[in-house]
Amino acid sequence: MLDGPRRYTRREVAELAGMPPERTRRLWRALGFADVPDEDRAFSDADVAALARLSALIATGFIDPDTEASIVRAMGQSLSRLADWQIDMFAALLADRSAEAVADIVRHAEALLPLMSELQDYVWRRHLAANTGRLRAGSPGAGDRRQLAVGFADLVGYTTRSRGMGGRELGAMVEDFEGLSADLIARHRGRVVKAVGDGVLFTAGNPVDAVEIALRLPVEWSAADDRPPLRVGVAFGAVLTRLGDVYAPVVNLASRLTSIARPGTVLVDEELARRLRGVDAYRVRPLNRVSVRGYDNLQPWLVRRRTDGNADAVAALEGMLDEIADDVLRPPDPAGPG
């Protein structure tokens, strides 16, 4: 897996790469790896080559020496999750196998590693191209600050439900949720920022795309029986994008909106509601103001899809139901989504 034997100590790697030992230790930790004793020969030629490539990148000016650890940390966290999934899949193949079968699987895995590496490189390049397209579509000179819709989709009652589930059943539900969310968000030109067991954080550049994602997620998720309901909150505003994550008050606002949403509903902030006015496909109406952590007088807006046919009668009935729902608006979850 390391593409060669472990031959060097940490200090020898630093010397061969022409880096101070403390710098190599800092980068090693940033990748997410525990310290190894100075006398252990835990490193290979690939480690020396990786440090040499990092030095070459810094020399080009593409990476600033002051931010190298942050960039390495983001890579380590992303690839660690991928490696965890791959090893879990590999372990499942090895379970309850004979020694001969295990040896055969290991031989096949050695042959598959180069193919997986090439596939990962392809996916990375396609994401580079896609994100370059998003950058070009944004405001000139905006850099890492953009106007985006930020949404949370949160499984209601996940903690209570997961206590009564076996590991395999819980894993299947999480896989179904993440798979459906990723498919639907990509279908509507959004991006999954990160997913945890009970929720997903996503962004979209277009308000209509964001609302389509928010409205479709609970419907498509509940199409299968015996699944916990989903609630969604979305806010729109200036967002700082950094190392694949998003930071801004609207991220917290979307989280708070999600925490007070009733199961199966979508709440948005005032800015997103304003941008949806005049869009015939949706009905947007304000609910009672509430106090949540960080917001003493939060105005949530309920979004629903406008129906065809007997639209006036349906709208009147939905308005009555909304009034009732408004009076019993779900109390906020102190922990918030995610």
Side-chain angles (χ1 to χ4, degrees):
M1 289 186 180
L2 297 179
D3 200 24
R6 303 172 191 255
R7 305 173 56 182
Y8 308 113
T9 66
R10 184 177 63 83
R11 292 190 176 276
E12 288 172 341
V13 167
E15 183 178 349
L16 289 168
M19 283 189 178
E22 282 309 308
R23 184 180 174 198
T24 62
R25 186 195 297 273
R26 184 175 69 253
L27 294 174
W28 182 252
R29 290 172 178 170
L31 282 170
F33 301 122
D35 288 345
V36 296
D38 287 346
E39 66 275 10
D40 279 13
R41 297 191 174 277
F43 303 97
S44 70
D45 289 320
D47 296 298
V48 178
L51 290 174
R53 292 187 187 103
L54 179 59
S55 294
L57 278 172
I58 292 172
T60 66
F62 182 73
I63 294 179
D64 190 297
D66 294 334
T67 61
E68 65 177 9
S70 297
I71 293 171
V72 167
R73 188 181 306 113
M75 295 174 63
Q77 290 172 355
S78 299
L79 294 175
S80 171
R81 187 181 180 202
L82 177 63
D84 284 346
W85 169 75
Q86 290 167 338
I87 290 299
D88 286 345
M89 182 176 62
F90 187 61
L93 288 174
L94 297 178
D96 302 323
R97 302 287 184 128
S98 66
E100 294 79 7
V102 168
D104 188 54
I105 291 172
V106 170
R107 282 194 298 271
H108 281 85
E110 291 173 349
L112 288 174
L113 278 175
L115 297 177
M116 295 177 69
S117 178
E118 292 170 6
L119 179 60
Q120 287 164 196
D121 182 70
Y122 158 77
V123 174
W124 170 65
R125 289 177 179 273
R126 291 299 305 185
H127 275 294
L128 278 181
N131 281 286
T132 300
R134 294 190 187 104
L135 183 64
R136 291 172 60 190
S139 303
D144 56 2
R145 297 182 183 275
R146 304 170 56 197
Q147 293 286 319
L148 290 174
V150 179
F152 277 99
D154 183 46
L155 293 172
V156 181
Y158 171 83
T159 302
T160 302
R161 186 184 182 90
S162 62
R163 291 196 189 106
M165 300 175 72
R168 188 179 297 275
E169 184 184 5
L170 178 60
M173 186 182 75
V174 170
E175 177 66 24
D176 288 345
F177 174 63
E178 293 189 358
L180 183 145
S181 299
D183 179 86
L184 193 148
I185 291 167
R187 199 189 320 157
H188 292 278
R189 294 168 291 280
R191 184 177 78 87
V192 175
V193 177
K194 53 189 171 186
V196 291
D198 61 345
V200 61
L201 170 62
F202 65 91
T203 61
N206 185 292
V208 171
D209 286 336
V211 171
E212 278 299 311
I213 292 168
L215 289 171
R216 289 176 184 270
L217 267 175
V219 174
E220 295 196 15
W221 172 250
S222 63
D225 294 333
D226 199 30
R227 284 177 171 176
L230 200 62
R231 54 183 176 172
V232 188
V234 191
F236 193 95
V239 173
L240 170 66
T241 59
R242 177 172 171 77
L243 301 176
D245 212 335
V246 290
Y247 305 89
V250 295
V251 179
N252 293 329
L253 181 53
S255 173
R256 300 298 174 263
L257 289 167
T258 308
S259 72
I260 61 175
R262 294 185 301 115
T265 64
V266 176
L267 297 184
V268 302
D269 71 328
E270 186 172 4
E271 178 61 25
L272 185 51
R274 184 182 66 79
R275 291 171 179 262
L276 294 174
R277 288 175 189 152
V279 180
D280 293 338
Y282 312 114
R283 294 180 56 242
V284 184
R285 64 176 295 272
L287 301 181
N288 288 336
R289 294 179 180 272
V290 295
S291 294
V292 294
R293 184 162 50 113
Y295 298 89
D296 293 332
N297 198 25
L298 176 61
Q299 173 71 78
W301 294 71
L302 181 68
V303 178
R304 283 185 171 157
R305 196 178 300 282
R306 192 179 296 278
T307 55
D308 296 326
N310 299 320
D312 292 339
V314 172
L317 177 59
E318 286 187 346
M320 293 172 59
L321 293 174
D322 289 346
E323 292 291 345
I324 297 171
D326 201 3
D327 292 335
V328 291
L329 190 66
R330 187 183 188 281
D333 181 349

